[in-house]
Amino acid sequence: MKSIEIVVDPSQHVWWLASRASGVVALVLLTASVIIGLSIGGRFAQHVPKRLRPAMRAEPRLLTRAHEQTAVAALIAIGLHGVTLLGDGWLHPSPADIAVPLMIDYRPLFTGLGIVGGYILLALGLSYYFRQRIGIARWKRVHRFVIAGWAMSVLHTIGAGTDAAEGWLLWPVAVSSAVIALLYVARIAEVGINRRMPVAPSPPVAPSQQVAPSQQVAGTASD
Amino acid sequence: MTAMTDRSNGATVPRRRSAGAGRTAAAPAINGGWWKTLKLSTAMFLAVFALIALQLTFGRDPMLGTGRAGKEAERATVHHKLIVLRKVIIETQPAAPPAAPAGSGGTSVSQYSGTSAAAPAAAPTPMPAPAPAPTTSAS
């Protein structure tokens, strides 16, 4: 049977469209936050582009603040993504369907990944504000697992997202995922190197023989 | 409350609060950054919403035709199927009931029309066989 082009009134699907839009925004903000977070600290912080150096001098914690703000905005967008689904006239999910993994009938595995990923991001993201009670070192070790929440969000987008097959979403997701994977591997490798080779106190060097810190770094991903 | 410093001429000048007085100089930047993030997020949301709404309006949505994209899509699809089905039924059903052979009596005709004079020749369906002429019952 020949298919006919159907013109649909979008005002009948406001909740569904809002859920899709908030999901896309959540993924964009989350990806940006993860990229910024992986860039903070380590050797990457020493290779700030010249254009950003004046801003970095004026606001030394610019990256940290941007990381925090995009992360919180992503959490708000994730919440909006779930709540707007409650108004969807086709899916008709209950609050339990969007809060408990594997309860919903629509693609339960990938939807469940999104729910679990959201909880991971919520817990590990907001733990920043309780890091003094948790202990800074312990919090840093735990905060690394935010990458798992991000990965679950990407799988949720690809497996259950309406727009997953659209080029305008698929290509940015693929490119940003590759960037995050590279940054993550580089950070893991850097942490491993630092653990194996602890820095010993070096003897005093004459000023004329001192080398700039950026020149000491070799083989980093940012070069 | 700001501290006052004395000038050599005795005039007092309010001293600016230092950054170490419990409030960092970066405080306005925090608020500005939060607002920027909120505005950017809202703009992104509206842009994506408009994009997918247009996509749905002009029939480019990936969920169209699956039944997911609204009741209009389902109705239109079912309506289209009904149109096709009706067409199939009309084209494949027998054109008309077979005409009663001559001499067999007009009772069969009278069953439909109530009068023996009524002839099935008035039937609109094209029949290769000529319509029988109205005959009086010969019993």
Side-chain angles (χ1 to χ4, degrees), chain A residues 2 7-8 10 12-13 16-17 20 59 65 69 88 90 106 162 166 168, chain B residues 26 30 33 37 41 49 52 55 57 61-64 67-68 70 72 80:
Chain A
K2 189 179 176 183
V7 175
V8 180
Q12 303 293 323
H13 313 288
W16 179 42
L17 295 176
R20 286 163 68 178
E59 180 55 63
R65 296 195 198 288
Q69 288 154 12
D88 186 6
W90 185 82
Y106 181 78
T162 304
E166 298 293 306
W168 57 265
Chain B
I30 297 174
T37 305
S41 307
F49 189 96
I52 56 181
Q55 195 173 269
T57 303
D61 196 271
M63 282 297 192
L64 278 173
R68 173 61 174 95
E72 298 92 305
H80 180 73

PDB file of all heavy atoms in Angstrom, chain A residues 2 7-8 10 12-13 16-17 20 59 65 69 88 90 106 162 166 168, chain B residues 26 30 33 37 41 49 52 55 57 61-64 67-68 70 72 80:
ATOM      1  N   LYS A   2       0.566   2.162  -0.888  1.00  0.00           N
ATOM      2  CA  LYS A   2       1.361   3.364  -1.023  1.00  0.00           C
ATOM      3  C   LYS A   2       1.163   4.248   0.208  1.00  0.00           C
ATOM      4  O   LYS A   2       0.049   4.449   0.664  1.00  0.00           O
ATOM      5  CB  LYS A   2       0.916   4.103  -2.288  1.00  0.00           C
ATOM      6  CG  LYS A   2       1.820   5.247  -2.650  1.00  0.00           C
ATOM      7  CD  LYS A   2       1.324   5.906  -3.918  1.00  0.00           C
ATOM      8  CE  LYS A   2       2.182   7.133  -4.217  1.00  0.00           C
ATOM      9  NZ  LYS A   2       1.676   7.846  -5.398  1.00  0.00           N
ATOM     10  N   VAL A   7       0.126  15.245   7.375  1.00  0.00           N
ATOM     11  CA  VAL A   7       0.437  16.501   8.050  1.00  0.00           C
ATOM     12  C   VAL A   7      -0.213  16.437   9.414  1.00  0.00           C
ATOM     13  O   VAL A   7      -1.420  16.269   9.532  1.00  0.00           O
ATOM     14  CB  VAL A   7      -0.103  17.705   7.247  1.00  0.00           C
ATOM     15  CG1 VAL A   7       0.123  18.987   8.017  1.00  0.00           C
ATOM     16  CG2 VAL A   7       0.582  17.776   5.895  1.00  0.00           C
ATOM     17  N   VAL A   8       0.621  16.520  10.448  1.00  0.00           N
ATOM     18  CA  VAL A   8       0.142  16.356  11.820  1.00  0.00           C
ATOM     19  C   VAL A   8       0.185  17.697  12.530  1.00  0.00           C
ATOM     20  O   VAL A   8       1.104  18.486  12.338  1.00  0.00           O
ATOM     21  CB  VAL A   8       1.039  15.330  12.556  1.00  0.00           C
ATOM     22  CG1 VAL A   8       0.579  15.137  13.973  1.00  0.00           C
ATOM     23  CG2 VAL A   8       1.030  14.022  11.803  1.00  0.00           C
ATOM     24  N   PRO A  10       1.163  19.703  15.420  1.00  0.00           N
ATOM     25  CA  PRO A  10       2.081  19.493  16.547  1.00  0.00           C
ATOM     26  C   PRO A  10       1.511  19.950  17.882  1.00  0.00           C
ATOM     27  O   PRO A  10       1.984  19.507  18.936  1.00  0.00           O
ATOM     28  CB  PRO A  10       3.316  20.327  16.171  1.00  0.00           C
ATOM     29  CG  PRO A  10       2.822  21.327  15.209  1.00  0.00           C
ATOM     30  CD  PRO A  10       1.683  20.710  14.478  1.00  0.00           C
ATOM     31  N   GLN A  12      -1.023  19.020  19.182  1.00  0.00           N
ATOM     32  CA  GLN A  12      -1.620  17.870  19.854  1.00  0.00           C
ATOM     33  C   GLN A  12      -0.577  17.032  20.583  1.00  0.00           C
ATOM     34  O   GLN A  12      -0.932  16.088  21.291  1.00  0.00           O
ATOM     35  CB  GLN A  12      -2.320  16.974  18.818  1.00  0.00           C
ATOM     36  CG  GLN A  12      -3.374  17.695  18.000  1.00  0.00           C
ATOM     37  CD  GLN A  12      -4.553  18.114  18.839  1.00  0.00           C
ATOM     38  OE1 GLN A  12      -4.959  17.401  19.741  1.00  0.00           O
ATOM     39  NE2 GLN A  12      -5.090  19.288  18.545  1.00  0.00           N
ATOM     40  N   HIS A  13       0.715  17.345  20.358  1.00  0.00           N
ATOM     41  CA  HIS A  13       1.784  16.497  20.913  1.00  0.00           C
ATOM     42  C   HIS A  13       2.812  17.327  21.676  1.00  0.00           C
ATOM     43  O   HIS A  13       4.009  17.052  21.621  1.00  0.00           O
ATOM     44  CB  HIS A  13       2.482  15.745  19.772  1.00  0.00           C
ATOM     45  CG  HIS A  13       1.527  15.120  18.813  1.00  0.00           C
ATOM     46  ND1 HIS A  13       0.783  14.016  19.124  1.00  0.00           N
ATOM     47  CD2 HIS A  13       1.151  15.484  17.564  1.00  0.00           C
ATOM     48  CE1 HIS A  13       0.009  13.705  18.093  1.00  0.00           C
ATOM     49  NE2 HIS A  13       0.203  14.582  17.143  1.00  0.00           N
ATOM     50  N   TRP A  16       4.974  15.352  24.282  1.00  0.00           N
ATOM     51  CA  TRP A  16       5.938  14.471  23.636  1.00  0.00           C
ATOM     52  C   TRP A  16       7.090  15.286  23.054  1.00  0.00           C
ATOM     53  O   TRP A  16       8.267  14.946  23.216  1.00  0.00           O
ATOM     54  CB  TRP A  16       5.229  13.659  22.546  1.00  0.00           C
ATOM     55  CG  TRP A  16       6.099  12.727  21.778  1.00  0.00           C
ATOM     56  CD1 TRP A  16       7.079  11.908  22.269  1.00  0.00           C
ATOM     57  CD2 TRP A  16       6.068  12.498  20.374  1.00  0.00           C
ATOM     58  NE1 TRP A  16       7.642  11.194  21.245  1.00  0.00           N
ATOM     59  CE2 TRP A  16       7.035  11.523  20.062  1.00  0.00           C
ATOM     60  CE3 TRP A  16       5.288  13.005  19.321  1.00  0.00           C
ATOM     61  CZ2 TRP A  16       7.263  11.061  18.773  1.00  0.00           C
ATOM     62  CZ3 TRP A  16       5.518  12.538  18.045  1.00  0.00           C
ATOM     63  CH2 TRP A  16       6.498  11.592  17.784  1.00  0.00           C
ATOM     64  N   LEU A  17       6.786  16.378  22.391  1.00  0.00           N
ATOM     65  CA  LEU A  17       7.822  17.227  21.814  1.00  0.00           C
ATOM     66  C   LEU A  17       8.690  17.850  22.904  1.00  0.00           C
ATOM     67  O   LEU A  17       9.908  17.949  22.769  1.00  0.00           O
ATOM     68  CB  LEU A  17       7.186  18.331  20.962  1.00  0.00           C
ATOM     69  CG  LEU A  17       6.433  17.866  19.711  1.00  0.00           C
ATOM     70  CD1 LEU A  17       5.782  19.047  19.016  1.00  0.00           C
ATOM     71  CD2 LEU A  17       7.355  17.137  18.758  1.00  0.00           C
ATOM     72  N   ARG A  20      11.096  15.230  24.158  1.00  0.00           N
ATOM     73  CA  ARG A  20      12.195  15.021  23.222  1.00  0.00           C
ATOM     74  C   ARG A  20      13.192  16.167  23.275  1.00  0.00           C
ATOM     75  O   ARG A  20      14.407  15.971  23.290  1.00  0.00           O
ATOM     76  CB  ARG A  20      11.640  14.875  21.801  1.00  0.00           C
ATOM     77  CG  ARG A  20      10.967  13.552  21.538  1.00  0.00           C
ATOM     78  CD  ARG A  20      10.104  13.595  20.306  1.00  0.00           C
ATOM     79  NE  ARG A  20      10.854  13.739  19.077  1.00  0.00           N
ATOM     80  CZ  ARG A  20      10.300  13.753  17.873  1.00  0.00           C
ATOM     81  NH1 ARG A  20       8.993  13.633  17.759  1.00  0.00           N
ATOM     82  NH2 ARG A  20      11.033  13.896  16.786  1.00  0.00           N
ATOM     83  N   GLU A  59      39.491  34.767  35.974  1.00  0.00           N
ATOM     84  CA  GLU A  59      38.603  33.841  36.681  1.00  0.00           C
ATOM     85  C   GLU A  59      39.274  32.474  36.693  1.00  0.00           C
ATOM     86  O   GLU A  59      39.046  31.655  35.813  1.00  0.00           O
ATOM     87  CB  GLU A  59      37.253  33.783  35.961  1.00  0.00           C
ATOM     88  CG  GLU A  59      36.241  32.846  36.600  1.00  0.00           C
ATOM     89  CD  GLU A  59      36.009  33.143  38.055  1.00  0.00           C
ATOM     90  OE1 GLU A  59      35.519  34.242  38.353  1.00  0.00           O
ATOM     91  OE2 GLU A  59      36.330  32.274  38.884  1.00  0.00           O
ATOM     92  N   ARG A  65      33.590  26.331  37.318  1.00  0.00           N
ATOM     93  CA  ARG A  65      32.230  26.886  37.398  1.00  0.00           C
ATOM     94  C   ARG A  65      31.400  26.444  36.191  1.00  0.00           C
ATOM     95  O   ARG A  65      30.224  26.110  36.323  1.00  0.00           O
ATOM     96  CB  ARG A  65      32.288  28.395  37.458  1.00  0.00           C
ATOM     97  CG  ARG A  65      32.978  28.915  38.695  1.00  0.00           C
ATOM     98  CD  ARG A  65      32.709  30.384  38.908  1.00  0.00           C
ATOM     99  NE  ARG A  65      33.668  30.971  39.814  1.00  0.00           N
ATOM    100  CZ  ARG A  65      33.701  30.745  41.119  1.00  0.00           C
ATOM    101  NH1 ARG A  65      32.837  29.943  41.678  1.00  0.00           N
ATOM    102  NH2 ARG A  65      34.608  31.323  41.868  1.00  0.00           N
ATOM    103  N   GLN A  69      27.951  24.439  36.413  1.00  0.00           N
ATOM    104  CA  GLN A  69      26.707  25.008  35.892  1.00  0.00           C
ATOM    105  C   GLN A  69      26.091  24.134  34.813  1.00  0.00           C
ATOM    106  O   GLN A  69      24.873  23.926  34.791  1.00  0.00           O
ATOM    107  CB  GLN A  69      26.983  26.419  35.354  1.00  0.00           C
ATOM    108  CG  GLN A  69      27.223  27.426  36.461  1.00  0.00           C
ATOM    109  CD  GLN A  69      28.086  28.597  36.025  1.00  0.00           C
ATOM    110  OE1 GLN A  69      28.339  28.787  34.845  1.00  0.00           O
ATOM    111  NE2 GLN A  69      28.522  29.401  36.988  1.00  0.00           N
ATOM    112  N   ASP A  88       2.320  12.636  28.101  1.00  0.00           N
ATOM    113  CA  ASP A  88       2.263  12.072  26.754  1.00  0.00           C
ATOM    114  C   ASP A  88       1.000  11.241  26.587  1.00  0.00           C
ATOM    115  O   ASP A  88       0.784  10.271  27.321  1.00  0.00           O
ATOM    116  CB  ASP A  88       3.508  11.219  26.511  1.00  0.00           C
ATOM    117  CG  ASP A  88       3.595  10.723  25.079  1.00  0.00           C
ATOM    118  OD1 ASP A  88       2.764  11.126  24.251  1.00  0.00           O
ATOM    119  OD2 ASP A  88       4.512   9.937  24.786  1.00  0.00           O
ATOM    120  N   TRP A  90       0.130   9.248  24.234  1.00  0.00           N
ATOM    121  CA  TRP A  90       0.287   7.948  23.564  1.00  0.00           C
ATOM    122  C   TRP A  90       0.946   6.945  24.491  1.00  0.00           C
ATOM    123  O   TRP A  90       0.521   5.820  24.615  1.00  0.00           O
ATOM    124  CB  TRP A  90       1.129   8.135  22.298  1.00  0.00           C
ATOM    125  CG  TRP A  90       1.261   6.892  21.478  1.00  0.00           C
ATOM    126  CD1 TRP A  90       0.365   6.398  20.571  1.00  0.00           C
ATOM    127  CD2 TRP A  90       2.371   5.980  21.474  1.00  0.00           C
ATOM    128  NE1 TRP A  90       0.857   5.236  20.008  1.00  0.00           N
ATOM    129  CE2 TRP A  90       2.077   4.956  20.542  1.00  0.00           C
ATOM    130  CE3 TRP A  90       3.577   5.923  22.169  1.00  0.00           C
ATOM    131  CZ2 TRP A  90       2.950   3.907  20.291  1.00  0.00           C
ATOM    132  CZ3 TRP A  90       4.445   4.872  21.913  1.00  0.00           C
ATOM    133  CH2 TRP A  90       4.123   3.876  20.978  1.00  0.00           C
ATOM    134  N   TYR A 106       7.521   0.407  26.842  1.00  0.00           N
ATOM    135  CA  TYR A 106       8.196   0.921  25.658  1.00  0.00           C
ATOM    136  C   TYR A 106       9.702   0.757  25.810  1.00  0.00           C
ATOM    137  O   TYR A 106      10.345   1.456  26.595  1.00  0.00           O
ATOM    138  CB  TYR A 106       7.833   2.395  25.442  1.00  0.00           C
ATOM    139  CG  TYR A 106       8.466   3.002  24.221  1.00  0.00           C
ATOM    140  CD1 TYR A 106       7.952   2.753  22.951  1.00  0.00           C
ATOM    141  CD2 TYR A 106       9.584   3.829  24.309  1.00  0.00           C
ATOM    142  CE1 TYR A 106       8.523   3.296  21.825  1.00  0.00           C
ATOM    143  CE2 TYR A 106      10.159   4.382  23.186  1.00  0.00           C
ATOM    144  CZ  TYR A 106       9.628   4.115  21.952  1.00  0.00           C
ATOM    145  OH  TYR A 106      10.201   4.653  20.834  1.00  0.00           O
ATOM    146  N   THR A 162      13.613   9.036  20.058  1.00  0.00           N
ATOM    147  CA  THR A 162      12.890   9.173  18.800  1.00  0.00           C
ATOM    148  C   THR A 162      13.781   9.724  17.703  1.00  0.00           C
ATOM    149  O   THR A 162      13.681   9.343  16.539  1.00  0.00           O
ATOM    150  CB  THR A 162      11.695  10.117  18.996  1.00  0.00           C
ATOM    151  OG1 THR A 162      10.893   9.624  20.059  1.00  0.00           O
ATOM    152  CG2 THR A 162      10.865  10.225  17.738  1.00  0.00           C
ATOM    153  N   GLU A 166      18.182  10.577  13.437  1.00  0.00           N
ATOM    154  CA  GLU A 166      18.286  11.828  12.699  1.00  0.00           C
ATOM    155  C   GLU A 166      19.739  12.288  12.667  1.00  0.00           C
ATOM    156  O   GLU A 166      20.441  12.254  13.690  1.00  0.00           O
ATOM    157  CB  GLU A 166      17.436  12.903  13.384  1.00  0.00           C
ATOM    158  CG  GLU A 166      15.952  12.567  13.424  1.00  0.00           C
ATOM    159  CD  GLU A 166      15.341  12.556  12.045  1.00  0.00           C
ATOM    160  OE1 GLU A 166      15.478  13.551  11.324  1.00  0.00           O
ATOM    161  OE2 GLU A 166      14.752  11.531  11.684  1.00  0.00           O
ATOM    162  N   TRP A 168      21.025  15.239  12.508  1.00  0.00           N
ATOM    163  CA  TRP A 168      21.370  16.409  13.314  1.00  0.00           C
ATOM    164  C   TRP A 168      21.663  16.046  14.763  1.00  0.00           C
ATOM    165  O   TRP A 168      22.252  16.821  15.492  1.00  0.00           O
ATOM    166  CB  TRP A 168      20.260  17.470  13.258  1.00  0.00           C
ATOM    167  CG  TRP A 168      18.891  17.029  13.691  1.00  0.00           C
ATOM    168  CD1 TRP A 168      17.886  16.588  12.884  1.00  0.00           C
ATOM    169  CD2 TRP A 168      18.374  16.955  15.022  1.00  0.00           C
ATOM    170  NE1 TRP A 168      16.779  16.273  13.626  1.00  0.00           N
ATOM    171  CE2 TRP A 168      17.039  16.490  14.936  1.00  0.00           C
ATOM    172  CE3 TRP A 168      18.889  17.270  16.281  1.00  0.00           C
ATOM    173  CZ2 TRP A 168      16.226  16.315  16.063  1.00  0.00           C
ATOM    174  CZ3 TRP A 168      18.084  17.099  17.400  1.00  0.00           C
ATOM    175  CH2 TRP A 168      16.770  16.621  17.282  1.00  0.00           C
TER     176      TRP A 168
ATOM    177  N   ALA B  26      34.738  36.999  42.852  1.00  0.00           N
ATOM    178  CA  ALA B  26      34.140  36.257  41.742  1.00  0.00           C
ATOM    179  C   ALA B  26      32.649  36.047  41.938  1.00  0.00           C
ATOM    180  O   ALA B  26      31.997  35.428  41.124  1.00  0.00           O
ATOM    181  CB  ALA B  26      34.822  34.905  41.580  1.00  0.00           C
ATOM    182  N   ILE B  30      29.697  34.250  39.369  1.00  0.00           N
ATOM    183  CA  ILE B  30      28.923  33.034  39.605  1.00  0.00           C
ATOM    184  C   ILE B  30      27.501  33.265  39.149  1.00  0.00           C
ATOM    185  O   ILE B  30      26.931  32.475  38.409  1.00  0.00           O
ATOM    186  CB  ILE B  30      28.956  32.661  41.099  1.00  0.00           C
ATOM    187  CG1 ILE B  30      30.378  32.338  41.544  1.00  0.00           C
ATOM    188  CG2 ILE B  30      28.039  31.489  41.348  1.00  0.00           C
ATOM    189  CD1 ILE B  30      30.526  32.112  43.016  1.00  0.00           C
ATOM    190  N   GLY B  33      27.286  33.536  35.427  1.00  0.00           N
ATOM    191  CA  GLY B  33      27.456  32.251  34.762  1.00  0.00           C
ATOM    192  C   GLY B  33      26.214  31.406  34.841  1.00  0.00           C
ATOM    193  O   GLY B  33      25.827  30.758  33.863  1.00  0.00           O
ATOM    194  N   THR B  37      24.015  30.159  31.648  1.00  0.00           N
ATOM    195  CA  THR B  37      23.706  28.747  31.416  1.00  0.00           C
ATOM    196  C   THR B  37      22.206  28.548  31.281  1.00  0.00           C
ATOM    197  O   THR B  37      21.749  27.796  30.416  1.00  0.00           O
ATOM    198  CB  THR B  37      24.252  27.896  32.573  1.00  0.00           C
ATOM    199  OG1 THR B  37      25.642  28.163  32.728  1.00  0.00           O
ATOM    200  CG2 THR B  37      24.037  26.426  32.314  1.00  0.00           C
ATOM    201  N   SER B  41      20.455  27.217  27.917  1.00  0.00           N
ATOM    202  CA  SER B  41      19.670  25.978  27.962  1.00  0.00           C
ATOM    203  C   SER B  41      18.254  26.225  27.453  1.00  0.00           C
ATOM    204  O   SER B  41      17.710  25.410  26.697  1.00  0.00           O
ATOM    205  CB  SER B  41      19.605  25.438  29.392  1.00  0.00           C
ATOM    206  OG  SER B  41      20.880  25.314  29.932  1.00  0.00           O
ATOM    207  N   PHE B  49      12.781  22.218  20.180  1.00  0.00           N
ATOM    208  CA  PHE B  49      11.325  22.050  20.158  1.00  0.00           C
ATOM    209  C   PHE B  49      10.761  22.510  18.824  1.00  0.00           C
ATOM    210  O   PHE B  49       9.937  21.814  18.209  1.00  0.00           O
ATOM    211  CB  PHE B  49      10.715  22.856  21.309  1.00  0.00           C
ATOM    212  CG  PHE B  49       9.250  22.596  21.523  1.00  0.00           C
ATOM    213  CD1 PHE B  49       8.833  21.680  22.476  1.00  0.00           C
ATOM    214  CD2 PHE B  49       8.285  23.250  20.782  1.00  0.00           C
ATOM    215  CE1 PHE B  49       7.488  21.424  22.684  1.00  0.00           C
ATOM    216  CE2 PHE B  49       6.946  23.008  20.976  1.00  0.00           C
ATOM    217  CZ  PHE B  49       6.542  22.093  21.925  1.00  0.00           C
ATOM    218  N   ILE B  52      11.761  19.979  15.914  1.00  0.00           N
ATOM    219  CA  ILE B  52      11.016  18.720  15.828  1.00  0.00           C
ATOM    220  C   ILE B  52       9.530  18.972  15.596  1.00  0.00           C
ATOM    221  O   ILE B  52       8.841  18.128  15.018  1.00  0.00           O
ATOM    222  CB  ILE B  52      11.259  17.820  17.057  1.00  0.00           C
ATOM    223  CG1 ILE B  52      10.928  18.530  18.357  1.00  0.00           C
ATOM    224  CG2 ILE B  52      12.697  17.353  17.085  1.00  0.00           C
ATOM    225  CD1 ILE B  52      11.189  17.672  19.590  1.00  0.00           C
ATOM    226  N   GLN B  55       9.370  19.396  11.956  1.00  0.00           N
ATOM    227  CA  GLN B  55       9.603  18.078  11.389  1.00  0.00           C
ATOM    228  C   GLN B  55       8.306  17.266  11.392  1.00  0.00           C
ATOM    229  O   GLN B  55       7.967  16.576  10.432  1.00  0.00           O
ATOM    230  CB  GLN B  55      10.662  17.396  12.270  1.00  0.00           C
ATOM    231  CG  GLN B  55      11.315  16.174  11.689  1.00  0.00           C
ATOM    232  CD  GLN B  55      12.448  15.718  12.599  1.00  0.00           C
ATOM    233  OE1 GLN B  55      13.586  16.136  12.422  1.00  0.00           O
ATOM    234  NE2 GLN B  55      12.144  14.877  13.550  1.00  0.00           N
ATOM    235  N   THR B  57       5.227  18.557  11.609  1.00  0.00           N
ATOM    236  CA  THR B  57       4.194  19.230  10.821  1.00  0.00           C
ATOM    237  C   THR B  57       4.314  18.882   9.352  1.00  0.00           C
ATOM    238  O   THR B  57       3.309  18.660   8.674  1.00  0.00           O
ATOM    239  CB  THR B  57       4.319  20.758  11.002  1.00  0.00           C
ATOM    240  OG1 THR B  57       4.231  21.064  12.377  1.00  0.00           O
ATOM    241  CG2 THR B  57       3.235  21.483  10.239  1.00  0.00           C
ATOM    242  N   ASP B  61       8.805  13.474  10.440  1.00  0.00           N
ATOM    243  CA  ASP B  61       9.146  12.885  11.725  1.00  0.00           C
ATOM    244  C   ASP B  61       9.386  11.390  11.577  1.00  0.00           C
ATOM    245  O   ASP B  61       8.665  10.712  10.857  1.00  0.00           O
ATOM    246  CB  ASP B  61       8.003  13.126  12.715  1.00  0.00           C
ATOM    247  CG  ASP B  61       8.448  12.901  14.135  1.00  0.00           C
ATOM    248  OD1 ASP B  61       8.348  11.759  14.612  1.00  0.00           O
ATOM    249  OD2 ASP B  61       8.908  13.862  14.762  1.00  0.00           O
ATOM    250  N   PRO B  62      10.377  10.848  12.266  1.00  0.00           N
ATOM    251  CA  PRO B  62      10.668   9.419  12.114  1.00  0.00           C
ATOM    252  C   PRO B  62       9.565   8.509  12.640  1.00  0.00           C
ATOM    253  O   PRO B  62       9.504   7.349  12.287  1.00  0.00           O
ATOM    254  CB  PRO B  62      11.956   9.228  12.934  1.00  0.00           C
ATOM    255  CG  PRO B  62      12.036  10.387  13.836  1.00  0.00           C
ATOM    256  CD  PRO B  62      11.371  11.518  13.116  1.00  0.00           C
ATOM    257  N   MET B  63       8.658   9.061  13.452  1.00  0.00           N
ATOM    258  CA  MET B  63       7.625   8.216  14.027  1.00  0.00           C
ATOM    259  C   MET B  63       6.322   8.252  13.241  1.00  0.00           C
ATOM    260  O   MET B  63       5.354   7.601  13.633  1.00  0.00           O
ATOM    261  CB  MET B  63       7.343   8.651  15.468  1.00  0.00           C
ATOM    262  CG  MET B  63       8.395   8.154  16.428  1.00  0.00           C
ATOM    263  SD  MET B  63       8.416   6.355  16.490  1.00  0.00           S
ATOM    264  CE  MET B  63       9.438   6.080  17.896  1.00  0.00           C
ATOM    265  N   LEU B  64       6.280   9.017  12.165  1.00  0.00           N
ATOM    266  CA  LEU B  64       5.051   9.116  11.397  1.00  0.00           C
ATOM    267  C   LEU B  64       4.712   7.774  10.765  1.00  0.00           C
ATOM    268  O   LEU B  64       5.587   7.063  10.274  1.00  0.00           O
ATOM    269  CB  LEU B  64       5.190  10.175  10.310  1.00  0.00           C
ATOM    270  CG  LEU B  64       4.960  11.613  10.779  1.00  0.00           C
ATOM    271  CD1 LEU B  64       5.288  12.579   9.684  1.00  0.00           C
ATOM    272  CD2 LEU B  64       3.541  11.799  11.251  1.00  0.00           C
ATOM    273  N   GLY B  67       1.927   4.899  13.983  1.00  0.00           N
ATOM    274  CA  GLY B  67       0.886   4.956  14.991  1.00  0.00           C
ATOM    275  C   GLY B  67       1.293   5.772  16.196  1.00  0.00           C
ATOM    276  O   GLY B  67       0.458   6.191  16.982  1.00  0.00           O
ATOM    277  N   ARG B  68       2.593   6.033  16.342  1.00  0.00           N
ATOM    278  CA  ARG B  68       3.074   6.791  17.485  1.00  0.00           C
ATOM    279  C   ARG B  68       2.800   8.269  17.294  1.00  0.00           C
ATOM    280  O   ARG B  68       2.521   8.982  18.235  1.00  0.00           O
ATOM    281  CB  ARG B  68       4.578   6.573  17.650  1.00  0.00           C
ATOM    282  CG  ARG B  68       5.219   7.448  18.718  1.00  0.00           C
ATOM    283  CD  ARG B  68       4.621   7.147  20.037  1.00  0.00           C
ATOM    284  NE  ARG B  68       5.258   7.823  21.140  1.00  0.00           N
ATOM    285  CZ  ARG B  68       4.841   8.965  21.638  1.00  0.00           C
ATOM    286  NH1 ARG B  68       3.827   9.586  21.106  1.00  0.00           N
ATOM    287  NH2 ARG B  68       5.447   9.508  22.667  1.00  0.00           N
ATOM    288  N   GLY B  70       0.664  10.416  16.812  1.00  0.00           N
ATOM    289  CA  GLY B  70      -0.619  11.067  16.980  1.00  0.00           C
ATOM    290  C   GLY B  70      -1.792  10.321  16.408  1.00  0.00           C
ATOM    291  O   GLY B  70      -1.680   9.449  15.557  1.00  0.00           O
ATOM    292  N   GLU B  72      -4.094  11.579  14.580  1.00  0.00           N
ATOM    293  CA  GLU B  72      -4.384  11.936  13.188  1.00  0.00           C
ATOM    294  C   GLU B  72      -3.702  10.957  12.263  1.00  0.00           C
ATOM    295  O   GLU B  72      -4.253  10.542  11.262  1.00  0.00           O
ATOM    296  CB  GLU B  72      -3.880  13.347  12.866  1.00  0.00           C
ATOM    297  CG  GLU B  72      -4.535  14.423  13.676  1.00  0.00           C
ATOM    298  CD  GLU B  72      -3.753  14.725  14.926  1.00  0.00           C
ATOM    299  OE1 GLU B  72      -3.496  13.804  15.686  1.00  0.00           O
ATOM    300  OE2 GLU B  72      -3.380  15.869  15.114  1.00  0.00           O
ATOM    301  N   HIS B  80      -7.282   5.583   5.047  1.00  0.00           N
ATOM    302  CA  HIS B  80      -6.740   5.228   3.736  1.00  0.00           C
ATOM    303  C   HIS B  80      -6.945   3.748   3.464  1.00  0.00           C
ATOM    304  O   HIS B  80      -7.303   3.340   2.363  1.00  0.00           O
ATOM    305  CB  HIS B  80      -5.253   5.579   3.692  1.00  0.00           C
ATOM    306  CG  HIS B  80      -4.595   5.265   2.393  1.00  0.00           C
ATOM    307  ND1 HIS B  80      -4.806   5.987   1.246  1.00  0.00           N
ATOM    308  CD2 HIS B  80      -3.733   4.287   2.036  1.00  0.00           C
ATOM    309  CE1 HIS B  80      -4.096   5.488   0.257  1.00  0.00           C
ATOM    310  NE2 HIS B  80      -3.427   4.454   0.709  1.00  0.00           N
TER     311      HIS B  80
END
